[in-house]
Amino acid sequence: MNTKQKMSLLIASSSLVGLAFLPATIYAQDTTASFNLTAPTSNQLSFQSASDLNFGSLELSNAAISQNSTNDVAIVINDLRGTGTGWKVTGTLGKFTDSTKELKGAAITFVSGSAVTAGANSVTFDTDKNVTLDAGAAAGSRLINATTNEGNGQTTTTYTKDNVQLTAPTGQLVGNYTATLTYTLSDTPDAN
């Protein structure tokens, strides 16, 4: 191999080695992914269920009535509006009656409970105060308040049986008393 051939080979080898160290050109292209999530046409904000209350039986005495529920209470709300505007639940209690008799001065107190929302959003629940529903009162009392961006999807609020209490003063008549407990769901939550 002559000198000219050696030089050509050396130059060609150097060129190949230099190419190995050149940065590679990479091309990127952004695209979009889309998805349309819509609200159902009906039952966008609704009760799924609410438990009945049972306070069992108590023997009449000279003491005021104070009886815990015999069952846990669950209130289940579905909010499928997808707006995050919130909602609230209030409760009213009718009079406790047994044909012509009335359990006078009766009230149900929801001492404290816990609210759990399935999914990414949570609900703010009134645990800082006892909520008392007086039998026969026209005005309702707020039990649950889901403010802006809370309570989306399904929210289950649970009161254990020891946290729901029936009270009434002494001097009652014996009987098998029942009352209507009405929960009202509103799409307008309180500010707090």
Side-chain angles (χ1 to χ4, degrees):
M1 192 182 296
N2 67 28
T3 306
K4 192 175 184 179
Q5 287 175 334
K6 286 182 186 177
M7 277 305 256
S8 295
L9 184 58
L10 183 59
I11 291 172
S13 297
S14 297
S15 296
L16 286 175
V17 170
L19 287 175
F21 293 106
L22 288 178
T25 303
I26 298 175
Y27 298 97
Q29 177 66 45
D30 291 334
T31 62
T32 59
S34 61
F35 176 69
N36 185 24
L37 185 60
T38 62
T41 56
S42 64
N43 296 321
Q44 294 178 352
L45 180 62
S46 62
F47 281 101
Q48 179 169 322
S49 62
S51 303
D52 287 333
L53 295 175
N54 185 341
F55 293 98
S57 183
L58 184 66
E59 187 175 291
L60 188 62
S61 73
N62 287 327
I65 296 170
S66 180
Q67 185 82 354
N68 289 341
S69 176
T70 61
N71 61 297
D72 292 344
V73 177
I75 301 169
V76 182
I77 304 297
N78 289 325
D79 184 356
L80 303 177
R81 297 172 296 168
T83 61
T85 56
W87 47 266
K88 71 179 173 187
V89 174
T90 57
T92 54
L93 179 63
K95 292 180 179 183
F96 277 91
T97 60
D98 177 10
S99 61
T100 60
K101 297 180 271 185
E102 179 183 341
L103 187 65
K104 296 183 178 183
I108 294 176
T109 300
F110 292 82
V111 178
S112 64
S114 62
V116 177
T117 300
N121 297 295
S122 65
V123 66
T124 301
F125 181 76
D126 281 332
T127 56
D128 57 336
K129 62 180 180 178
N130 296 329
V131 179
T132 299
L133 306 178
D134 293 318
S141 297
R142 186 182 80 187
L143 294 169
I144 310 166
N145 192 51
T147 58
T148 303
N149 293 322
E150 297 176 327
N152 294 313
Q154 187 176 83
T155 301
T156 302
T157 302
T158 306
Y159 297 89
T160 62
K161 61 186 178 183
D162 295 333
N163 284 314
V164 181
Q165 188 175 60
L166 170 66
T167 57
T170 61
Q172 304 291 342
L173 300 174
V174 295
N176 186 20
Y177 294 95
T178 58
T180 300
L181 175 58
T182 303
Y183 298 110
T184 303
L185 175 61
S186 168
D187 63 359
T188 308
D190 294 335
N192 187 3

mmCIF file with all atom_site columns, all heavy atoms in Angstrom, residues 75 88-92 110 124-127 131-133 141-145 157 159 181-183:
data_model
loop_
_atom_site.group_PDB
_atom_site.id
_atom_site.type_symbol
_atom_site.label_atom_id
_atom_site.label_alt_id
_atom_site.label_comp_id
_atom_site.label_asym_id
_atom_site.label_entity_id
_atom_site.label_seq_id
_atom_site.pdbx_PDB_ins_code
_atom_site.Cartn_x
_atom_site.Cartn_y
_atom_site.Cartn_z
_atom_site.occupancy
_atom_site.B_iso_or_equiv
_atom_site.pdbx_formal_charge
_atom_site.auth_seq_id
_atom_site.auth_comp_id
_atom_site.auth_asym_id
_atom_site.auth_atom_id
_atom_site.pdbx_PDB_model_num
ATOM 1   N N   . ILE A 1 75  ? -77.215 7.513  54.688 1.00 0.00 ? 75  ILE A N   1
ATOM 2   C CA  . ILE A 1 75  ? -77.881 8.353  53.694 1.00 0.00 ? 75  ILE A CA  1
ATOM 3   C C   . ILE A 1 75  ? -76.947 8.381  52.484 1.00 0.00 ? 75  ILE A C   1
ATOM 4   O O   . ILE A 1 75  ? -75.793 8.806  52.606 1.00 0.00 ? 75  ILE A O   1
ATOM 5   C CB  . ILE A 1 75  ? -78.115 9.781  54.226 1.00 0.00 ? 75  ILE A CB  1
ATOM 6   C CG1 . ILE A 1 75  ? -78.961 9.739  55.493 1.00 0.00 ? 75  ILE A CG1 1
ATOM 7   C CG2 . ILE A 1 75  ? -78.759 10.649 53.153 1.00 0.00 ? 75  ILE A CG2 1
ATOM 8   C CD1 . ILE A 1 75  ? -79.032 11.064 56.226 1.00 0.00 ? 75  ILE A CD1 1
ATOM 9   N N   . LYS A 1 88  ? -76.987 20.000 49.504 1.00 0.00 ? 88  LYS A N   1
ATOM 10  C CA  . LYS A 1 88  ? -77.156 19.823 50.952 1.00 0.00 ? 88  LYS A CA  1
ATOM 11  C C   . LYS A 1 88  ? -78.370 18.951 51.217 1.00 0.00 ? 88  LYS A C   1
ATOM 12  O O   . LYS A 1 88  ? -79.277 18.845 50.393 1.00 0.00 ? 88  LYS A O   1
ATOM 13  C CB  . LYS A 1 88  ? -77.267 21.153 51.684 1.00 0.00 ? 88  LYS A CB  1
ATOM 14  C CG  . LYS A 1 88  ? -78.571 21.884 51.445 1.00 0.00 ? 88  LYS A CG  1
ATOM 15  C CD  . LYS A 1 88  ? -78.613 23.185 52.224 1.00 0.00 ? 88  LYS A CD  1
ATOM 16  C CE  . LYS A 1 88  ? -79.845 23.985 51.838 1.00 0.00 ? 88  LYS A CE  1
ATOM 17  N NZ  . LYS A 1 88  ? -79.839 25.319 52.432 1.00 0.00 ? 88  LYS A NZ  1
ATOM 18  N N   . VAL A 1 89  ? -78.370 18.329 52.394 1.00 0.00 ? 89  VAL A N   1
ATOM 19  C CA  . VAL A 1 89  ? -79.495 17.527 52.857 1.00 0.00 ? 89  VAL A CA  1
ATOM 20  C C   . VAL A 1 89  ? -79.962 18.108 54.184 1.00 0.00 ? 89  VAL A C   1
ATOM 21  O O   . VAL A 1 89  ? -79.160 18.313 55.097 1.00 0.00 ? 89  VAL A O   1
ATOM 22  C CB  . VAL A 1 89  ? -79.101 16.045 53.048 1.00 0.00 ? 89  VAL A CB  1
ATOM 23  C CG1 . VAL A 1 89  ? -80.245 15.251 53.684 1.00 0.00 ? 89  VAL A CG1 1
ATOM 24  C CG2 . VAL A 1 89  ? -78.685 15.422 51.731 1.00 0.00 ? 89  VAL A CG2 1
ATOM 25  N N   . THR A 1 90  ? -81.271 18.373 54.267 1.00 0.00 ? 90  THR A N   1
ATOM 26  C CA  . THR A 1 90  ? -81.879 18.794 55.519 1.00 0.00 ? 90  THR A CA  1
ATOM 27  C C   . THR A 1 90  ? -82.868 17.718 55.956 1.00 0.00 ? 90  THR A C   1
ATOM 28  O O   . THR A 1 90  ? -83.302 16.900 55.151 1.00 0.00 ? 90  THR A O   1
ATOM 29  C CB  . THR A 1 90  ? -82.619 20.146 55.372 1.00 0.00 ? 90  THR A CB  1
ATOM 30  O OG1 . THR A 1 90  ? -83.587 20.026 54.343 1.00 0.00 ? 90  THR A OG1 1
ATOM 31  C CG2 . THR A 1 90  ? -81.652 21.271 55.057 1.00 0.00 ? 90  THR A CG2 1
ATOM 32  N N   . GLY A 1 91  ? -83.192 17.724 57.230 1.00 0.00 ? 91  GLY A N   1
ATOM 33  C CA  . GLY A 1 91  ? -84.140 16.753 57.763 1.00 0.00 ? 91  GLY A CA  1
ATOM 34  C C   . GLY A 1 91  ? -85.246 17.428 58.543 1.00 0.00 ? 91  GLY A C   1
ATOM 35  O O   . GLY A 1 91  ? -85.010 18.437 59.214 1.00 0.00 ? 91  GLY A O   1
ATOM 36  N N   . THR A 1 92  ? -86.459 16.894 58.424 1.00 0.00 ? 92  THR A N   1
ATOM 37  C CA  . THR A 1 92  ? -87.582 17.318 59.253 1.00 0.00 ? 92  THR A CA  1
ATOM 38  C C   . THR A 1 92  ? -88.226 16.072 59.848 1.00 0.00 ? 92  THR A C   1
ATOM 39  O O   . THR A 1 92  ? -88.225 15.004 59.218 1.00 0.00 ? 92  THR A O   1
ATOM 40  C CB  . THR A 1 92  ? -88.641 18.121 58.472 1.00 0.00 ? 92  THR A CB  1
ATOM 41  O OG1 . THR A 1 92  ? -89.056 17.356 57.344 1.00 0.00 ? 92  THR A OG1 1
ATOM 42  C CG2 . THR A 1 92  ? -88.124 19.466 58.024 1.00 0.00 ? 92  THR A CG2 1
ATOM 43  N N   . PHE A 1 110 ? -78.919 13.708 65.776 1.00 0.00 ? 110 PHE A N   1
ATOM 44  C CA  . PHE A 1 110 ? -77.820 13.071 65.048 1.00 0.00 ? 110 PHE A CA  1
ATOM 45  C C   . PHE A 1 110 ? -76.541 13.656 65.641 1.00 0.00 ? 110 PHE A C   1
ATOM 46  O O   . PHE A 1 110 ? -76.205 14.814 65.382 1.00 0.00 ? 110 PHE A O   1
ATOM 47  C CB  . PHE A 1 110 ? -77.917 13.376 63.551 1.00 0.00 ? 110 PHE A CB  1
ATOM 48  C CG  . PHE A 1 110 ? -79.097 12.726 62.880 1.00 0.00 ? 110 PHE A CG  1
ATOM 49  C CD1 . PHE A 1 110 ? -80.363 13.300 62.945 1.00 0.00 ? 110 PHE A CD1 1
ATOM 50  C CD2 . PHE A 1 110 ? -78.932 11.543 62.189 1.00 0.00 ? 110 PHE A CD2 1
ATOM 51  C CE1 . PHE A 1 110 ? -81.450 12.705 62.327 1.00 0.00 ? 110 PHE A CE1 1
ATOM 52  C CE2 . PHE A 1 110 ? -80.018 10.930 61.568 1.00 0.00 ? 110 PHE A CE2 1
ATOM 53  C CZ  . PHE A 1 110 ? -81.276 11.506 61.635 1.00 0.00 ? 110 PHE A CZ  1
ATOM 54  N N   . THR A 1 124 ? -67.807 17.888 52.716 1.00 0.00 ? 124 THR A N   1
ATOM 55  C CA  . THR A 1 124 ? -67.638 18.471 54.035 1.00 0.00 ? 124 THR A CA  1
ATOM 56  C C   . THR A 1 124 ? -68.881 18.149 54.845 1.00 0.00 ? 124 THR A C   1
ATOM 57  O O   . THR A 1 124 ? -69.996 18.401 54.407 1.00 0.00 ? 124 THR A O   1
ATOM 58  C CB  . THR A 1 124 ? -67.464 19.992 53.940 1.00 0.00 ? 124 THR A CB  1
ATOM 59  O OG1 . THR A 1 124 ? -66.325 20.261 53.137 1.00 0.00 ? 124 THR A OG1 1
ATOM 60  C CG2 . THR A 1 124 ? -67.281 20.604 55.310 1.00 0.00 ? 124 THR A CG2 1
ATOM 61  N N   . PHE A 1 125 ? -68.696 17.579 56.027 1.00 0.00 ? 125 PHE A N   1
ATOM 62  C CA  . PHE A 1 125 ? -69.823 17.109 56.826 1.00 0.00 ? 125 PHE A CA  1
ATOM 63  C C   . PHE A 1 125 ? -69.853 17.825 58.157 1.00 0.00 ? 125 PHE A C   1
ATOM 64  O O   . PHE A 1 125 ? -68.830 18.047 58.776 1.00 0.00 ? 125 PHE A O   1
ATOM 65  C CB  . PHE A 1 125 ? -69.688 15.601 57.024 1.00 0.00 ? 125 PHE A CB  1
ATOM 66  C CG  . PHE A 1 125 ? -70.800 15.012 57.804 1.00 0.00 ? 125 PHE A CG  1
ATOM 67  C CD1 . PHE A 1 125 ? -72.027 14.822 57.221 1.00 0.00 ? 125 PHE A CD1 1
ATOM 68  C CD2 . PHE A 1 125 ? -70.621 14.672 59.131 1.00 0.00 ? 125 PHE A CD2 1
ATOM 69  C CE1 . PHE A 1 125 ? -73.067 14.275 57.943 1.00 0.00 ? 125 PHE A CE1 1
ATOM 70  C CE2 . PHE A 1 125 ? -71.661 14.129 59.858 1.00 0.00 ? 125 PHE A CE2 1
ATOM 71  C CZ  . PHE A 1 125 ? -72.880 13.937 59.263 1.00 0.00 ? 125 PHE A CZ  1
ATOM 72  N N   . ASP A 1 126 ? -71.047 18.218 58.599 1.00 0.00 ? 126 ASP A N   1
ATOM 73  C CA  . ASP A 1 126 ? -71.217 18.910 59.877 1.00 0.00 ? 126 ASP A CA  1
ATOM 74  C C   . ASP A 1 126 ? -70.955 17.970 61.044 1.00 0.00 ? 126 ASP A C   1
ATOM 75  O O   . ASP A 1 126 ? -71.862 17.341 61.563 1.00 0.00 ? 126 ASP A O   1
ATOM 76  C CB  . ASP A 1 126 ? -72.633 19.451 60.009 1.00 0.00 ? 126 ASP A CB  1
ATOM 77  C CG  . ASP A 1 126 ? -72.844 20.732 59.249 1.00 0.00 ? 126 ASP A CG  1
ATOM 78  O OD1 . ASP A 1 126 ? -71.887 21.481 59.052 1.00 0.00 ? 126 ASP A OD1 1
ATOM 79  O OD2 . ASP A 1 126 ? -73.978 20.969 58.858 1.00 0.00 ? 126 ASP A OD2 1
ATOM 80  N N   . THR A 1 127 ? -69.727 17.857 61.481 1.00 0.00 ? 127 THR A N   1
ATOM 81  C CA  . THR A 1 127 ? -69.431 17.059 62.658 1.00 0.00 ? 127 THR A CA  1
ATOM 82  C C   . THR A 1 127 ? -69.172 17.945 63.872 1.00 0.00 ? 127 THR A C   1
ATOM 83  O O   . THR A 1 127 ? -69.006 17.456 64.966 1.00 0.00 ? 127 THR A O   1
ATOM 84  C CB  . THR A 1 127 ? -68.198 16.160 62.426 1.00 0.00 ? 127 THR A CB  1
ATOM 85  O OG1 . THR A 1 127 ? -67.108 16.995 62.051 1.00 0.00 ? 127 THR A OG1 1
ATOM 86  C CG2 . THR A 1 127 ? -68.470 15.131 61.349 1.00 0.00 ? 127 THR A CG2 1
ATOM 87  N N   . VAL A 1 131 ? -77.008 17.756 65.530 1.00 0.00 ? 131 VAL A N   1
ATOM 88  C CA  . VAL A 1 131 ? -78.165 18.212 64.749 1.00 0.00 ? 131 VAL A CA  1
ATOM 89  C C   . VAL A 1 131 ? -79.411 17.586 65.350 1.00 0.00 ? 131 VAL A C   1
ATOM 90  O O   . VAL A 1 131 ? -79.568 16.364 65.342 1.00 0.00 ? 131 VAL A O   1
ATOM 91  C CB  . VAL A 1 131 ? -78.011 17.831 63.260 1.00 0.00 ? 131 VAL A CB  1
ATOM 92  C CG1 . VAL A 1 131 ? -79.229 18.295 62.478 1.00 0.00 ? 131 VAL A CG1 1
ATOM 93  C CG2 . VAL A 1 131 ? -76.736 18.421 62.679 1.00 0.00 ? 131 VAL A CG2 1
ATOM 94  N N   . THR A 1 132 ? -80.304 18.414 65.874 1.00 0.00 ? 132 THR A N   1
ATOM 95  C CA  . THR A 1 132 ? -81.526 17.938 66.511 1.00 0.00 ? 132 THR A CA  1
ATOM 96  C C   . THR A 1 132 ? -82.725 18.275 65.636 1.00 0.00 ? 132 THR A C   1
ATOM 97  O O   . THR A 1 132 ? -82.887 19.419 65.205 1.00 0.00 ? 132 THR A O   1
ATOM 98  C CB  . THR A 1 132 ? -81.699 18.571 67.904 1.00 0.00 ? 132 THR A CB  1
ATOM 99  O OG1 . THR A 1 132 ? -80.587 18.186 68.718 1.00 0.00 ? 132 THR A OG1 1
ATOM 100 C CG2 . THR A 1 132 ? -82.984 18.116 68.564 1.00 0.00 ? 132 THR A CG2 1
ATOM 101 N N   . LEU A 1 133 ? -83.543 17.259 65.396 1.00 0.00 ? 133 LEU A N   1
ATOM 102 C CA  . LEU A 1 133 ? -84.796 17.430 64.668 1.00 0.00 ? 133 LEU A CA  1
ATOM 103 C C   . LEU A 1 133 ? -85.931 17.314 65.678 1.00 0.00 ? 133 LEU A C   1
ATOM 104 O O   . LEU A 1 133 ? -86.152 16.242 66.254 1.00 0.00 ? 133 LEU A O   1
ATOM 105 C CB  . LEU A 1 133 ? -84.935 16.363 63.577 1.00 0.00 ? 133 LEU A CB  1
ATOM 106 C CG  . LEU A 1 133 ? -83.784 16.235 62.575 1.00 0.00 ? 133 LEU A CG  1
ATOM 107 C CD1 . LEU A 1 133 ? -84.059 15.116 61.590 1.00 0.00 ? 133 LEU A CD1 1
ATOM 108 C CD2 . LEU A 1 133 ? -83.539 17.552 61.851 1.00 0.00 ? 133 LEU A CD2 1
ATOM 109 N N   . SER A 1 141 ? -83.531 21.012 59.569 1.00 0.00 ? 141 SER A N   1
ATOM 110 C CA  . SER A 1 141 ? -82.163 21.287 60.019 1.00 0.00 ? 141 SER A CA  1
ATOM 111 C C   . SER A 1 141 ? -81.195 20.613 59.064 1.00 0.00 ? 141 SER A C   1
ATOM 112 O O   . SER A 1 141 ? -81.421 19.479 58.635 1.00 0.00 ? 141 SER A O   1
ATOM 113 C CB  . SER A 1 141 ? -81.940 20.755 61.430 1.00 0.00 ? 141 SER A CB  1
ATOM 114 O OG  . SER A 1 141 ? -82.778 21.417 62.341 1.00 0.00 ? 141 SER A OG  1
ATOM 115 N N   . ARG A 1 142 ? -80.108 21.307 58.769 1.00 0.00 ? 142 ARG A N   1
ATOM 116 C CA  . ARG A 1 142 ? -79.127 20.773 57.837 1.00 0.00 ? 142 ARG A CA  1
ATOM 117 C C   . ARG A 1 142 ? -78.357 19.620 58.475 1.00 0.00 ? 142 ARG A C   1
ATOM 118 O O   . ARG A 1 142 ? -77.867 19.721 59.594 1.00 0.00 ? 142 ARG A O   1
ATOM 119 C CB  . ARG A 1 142 ? -78.152 21.870 57.414 1.00 0.00 ? 142 ARG A CB  1
ATOM 120 C CG  . ARG A 1 142 ? -77.194 21.417 56.320 1.00 0.00 ? 142 ARG A CG  1
ATOM 121 C CD  . ARG A 1 142 ? -76.225 22.499 55.953 1.00 0.00 ? 142 ARG A CD  1
ATOM 122 N NE  . ARG A 1 142 ? -75.159 22.537 56.937 1.00 0.00 ? 142 ARG A NE  1
ATOM 123 C CZ  . ARG A 1 142 ? -74.213 23.465 56.965 1.00 0.00 ? 142 ARG A CZ  1
ATOM 124 N NH1 . ARG A 1 142 ? -74.220 24.436 56.091 1.00 0.00 ? 142 ARG A NH1 1
ATOM 125 N NH2 . ARG A 1 142 ? -73.285 23.432 57.887 1.00 0.00 ? 142 ARG A NH2 1
ATOM 126 N N   . LEU A 1 143 ? -78.244 18.517 57.732 1.00 0.00 ? 143 LEU A N   1
ATOM 127 C CA  . LEU A 1 143 ? -77.474 17.352 58.163 1.00 0.00 ? 143 LEU A CA  1
ATOM 128 C C   . LEU A 1 143 ? -76.162 17.236 57.408 1.00 0.00 ? 143 LEU A C   1
ATOM 129 O O   . LEU A 1 143 ? -75.131 16.906 57.986 1.00 0.00 ? 143 LEU A O   1
ATOM 130 C CB  . LEU A 1 143 ? -78.282 16.066 57.963 1.00 0.00 ? 143 LEU A CB  1
ATOM 131 C CG  . LEU A 1 143 ? -79.534 15.923 58.822 1.00 0.00 ? 143 LEU A CG  1
ATOM 132 C CD1 . LEU A 1 143 ? -80.374 14.754 58.331 1.00 0.00 ? 143 LEU A CD1 1
ATOM 133 C CD2 . LEU A 1 143 ? -79.154 15.735 60.264 1.00 0.00 ? 143 LEU A CD2 1
ATOM 134 N N   . ILE A 1 144 ? -76.197 17.458 56.088 1.00 0.00 ? 144 ILE A N   1
ATOM 135 C CA  . ILE A 1 144 ? -75.013 17.286 55.234 1.00 0.00 ? 144 ILE A CA  1
ATOM 136 C C   . ILE A 1 144 ? -74.911 18.491 54.311 1.00 0.00 ? 144 ILE A C   1
ATOM 137 O O   . ILE A 1 144 ? -75.914 18.936 53.759 1.00 0.00 ? 144 ILE A O   1
ATOM 138 C CB  . ILE A 1 144 ? -75.121 16.007 54.373 1.00 0.00 ? 144 ILE A CB  1
ATOM 139 C CG1 . ILE A 1 144 ? -75.483 14.803 55.232 1.00 0.00 ? 144 ILE A CG1 1
ATOM 140 C CG2 . ILE A 1 144 ? -73.827 15.755 53.610 1.00 0.00 ? 144 ILE A CG2 1
ATOM 141 C CD1 . ILE A 1 144 ? -75.934 13.592 54.431 1.00 0.00 ? 144 ILE A CD1 1
ATOM 142 N N   . ASN A 1 145 ? -73.689 18.989 54.105 1.00 0.00 ? 145 ASN A N   1
ATOM 143 C CA  . ASN A 1 145 ? -73.467 20.131 53.217 1.00 0.00 ? 145 ASN A CA  1
ATOM 144 C C   . ASN A 1 145 ? -72.239 19.868 52.356 1.00 0.00 ? 145 ASN A C   1
ATOM 145 O O   . ASN A 1 145 ? -71.126 19.810 52.865 1.00 0.00 ? 145 ASN A O   1
ATOM 146 C CB  . ASN A 1 145 ? -73.276 21.410 54.042 1.00 0.00 ? 145 ASN A CB  1
ATOM 147 C CG  . ASN A 1 145 ? -73.327 22.656 53.190 1.00 0.00 ? 145 ASN A CG  1
ATOM 148 O OD1 . ASN A 1 145 ? -74.259 22.844 52.417 1.00 0.00 ? 145 ASN A OD1 1
ATOM 149 N ND2 . ASN A 1 145 ? -72.336 23.511 53.333 1.00 0.00 ? 145 ASN A ND2 1
ATOM 150 N N   . THR A 1 157 ? -73.165 8.906  53.781 1.00 0.00 ? 157 THR A N   1
ATOM 151 C CA  . THR A 1 157 ? -73.015 9.467  55.123 1.00 0.00 ? 157 THR A CA  1
ATOM 152 C C   . THR A 1 157 ? -73.554 8.436  56.102 1.00 0.00 ? 157 THR A C   1
ATOM 153 O O   . THR A 1 157 ? -74.677 7.964  55.960 1.00 0.00 ? 157 THR A O   1
ATOM 154 C CB  . THR A 1 157 ? -73.783 10.783 55.262 1.00 0.00 ? 157 THR A CB  1
ATOM 155 O OG1 . THR A 1 157 ? -73.299 11.695 54.279 1.00 0.00 ? 157 THR A OG1 1
ATOM 156 C CG2 . THR A 1 157 ? -73.589 11.381 56.649 1.00 0.00 ? 157 THR A CG2 1
ATOM 157 N N   . TYR A 1 159 ? -74.172 7.302  60.205 1.00 0.00 ? 159 TYR A N   1
ATOM 158 C CA  . TYR A 1 159 ? -74.258 7.576  61.637 1.00 0.00 ? 159 TYR A CA  1
ATOM 159 C C   . TYR A 1 159 ? -74.340 6.224  62.327 1.00 0.00 ? 159 TYR A C   1
ATOM 160 O O   . TYR A 1 159 ? -75.225 5.431  62.024 1.00 0.00 ? 159 TYR A O   1
ATOM 161 C CB  . TYR A 1 159 ? -75.526 8.363  61.984 1.00 0.00 ? 159 TYR A CB  1
ATOM 162 C CG  . TYR A 1 159 ? -75.620 9.725  61.363 1.00 0.00 ? 159 TYR A CG  1
ATOM 163 C CD1 . TYR A 1 159 ? -76.192 9.894  60.110 1.00 0.00 ? 159 TYR A CD1 1
ATOM 164 C CD2 . TYR A 1 159 ? -75.150 10.842 62.033 1.00 0.00 ? 159 TYR A CD2 1
ATOM 165 C CE1 . TYR A 1 159 ? -76.295 11.151 59.541 1.00 0.00 ? 159 TYR A CE1 1
ATOM 166 C CE2 . TYR A 1 159 ? -75.243 12.104 61.468 1.00 0.00 ? 159 TYR A CE2 1
ATOM 167 C CZ  . TYR A 1 159 ? -75.816 12.247 60.218 1.00 0.00 ? 159 TYR A CZ  1
ATOM 168 O OH  . TYR A 1 159 ? -75.916 13.485 59.658 1.00 0.00 ? 159 TYR A OH  1
ATOM 169 N N   . LEU A 1 181 ? -89.806 10.751 59.063 1.00 0.00 ? 181 LEU A N   1
ATOM 170 C CA  . LEU A 1 181 ? -88.560 11.519 58.978 1.00 0.00 ? 181 LEU A CA  1
ATOM 171 C C   . LEU A 1 181 ? -88.330 11.805 57.498 1.00 0.00 ? 181 LEU A C   1
ATOM 172 O O   . LEU A 1 181 ? -88.216 10.877 56.688 1.00 0.00 ? 181 LEU A O   1
ATOM 173 C CB  . LEU A 1 181 ? -87.398 10.712 59.563 1.00 0.00 ? 181 LEU A CB  1
ATOM 174 C CG  . LEU A 1 181 ? -86.003 11.307 59.447 1.00 0.00 ? 181 LEU A CG  1
ATOM 175 C CD1 . LEU A 1 181 ? -85.909 12.673 60.099 1.00 0.00 ? 181 LEU A CD1 1
ATOM 176 C CD2 . LEU A 1 181 ? -84.983 10.358 60.081 1.00 0.00 ? 181 LEU A CD2 1
ATOM 177 N N   . THR A 1 182 ? -88.307 13.081 57.139 1.00 0.00 ? 182 THR A N   1
ATOM 178 C CA  . THR A 1 182 ? -88.165 13.474 55.737 1.00 0.00 ? 182 THR A CA  1
ATOM 179 C C   . THR A 1 182 ? -86.803 14.112 55.516 1.00 0.00 ? 182 THR A C   1
ATOM 180 O O   . THR A 1 182 ? -86.451 15.099 56.166 1.00 0.00 ? 182 THR A O   1
ATOM 181 C CB  . THR A 1 182 ? -89.268 14.481 55.341 1.00 0.00 ? 182 THR A CB  1
ATOM 182 O OG1 . THR A 1 182 ? -90.542 13.884 55.587 1.00 0.00 ? 182 THR A OG1 1
ATOM 183 C CG2 . THR A 1 182 ? -89.162 14.858 53.869 1.00 0.00 ? 182 THR A CG2 1
ATOM 184 N N   . TYR A 1 183 ? -86.045 13.534 54.593 1.00 0.00 ? 183 TYR A N   1
ATOM 185 C CA  . TYR A 1 183 ? -84.781 14.112 54.164 1.00 0.00 ? 183 TYR A CA  1
ATOM 186 C C   . TYR A 1 183 ? -85.047 14.875 52.861 1.00 0.00 ? 183 TYR A C   1
ATOM 187 O O   . TYR A 1 183 ? -85.675 14.338 51.946 1.00 0.00 ? 183 TYR A O   1
ATOM 188 C CB  . TYR A 1 183 ? -83.728 13.029 53.900 1.00 0.00 ? 183 TYR A CB  1
ATOM 189 C CG  . TYR A 1 183 ? -83.363 12.216 55.103 1.00 0.00 ? 183 TYR A CG  1
ATOM 190 C CD1 . TYR A 1 183 ? -83.744 10.881 55.210 1.00 0.00 ? 183 TYR A CD1 1
ATOM 191 C CD2 . TYR A 1 183 ? -82.617 12.755 56.141 1.00 0.00 ? 183 TYR A CD2 1
ATOM 192 C CE1 . TYR A 1 183 ? -83.399 10.112 56.309 1.00 0.00 ? 183 TYR A CE1 1
ATOM 193 C CE2 . TYR A 1 183 ? -82.262 11.991 57.250 1.00 0.00 ? 183 TYR A CE2 1
ATOM 194 C CZ  . TYR A 1 183 ? -82.662 10.677 57.314 1.00 0.00 ? 183 TYR A CZ  1
ATOM 195 O OH  . TYR A 1 183 ? -82.313 9.926  58.406 1.00 0.00 ? 183 TYR A OH  1
#
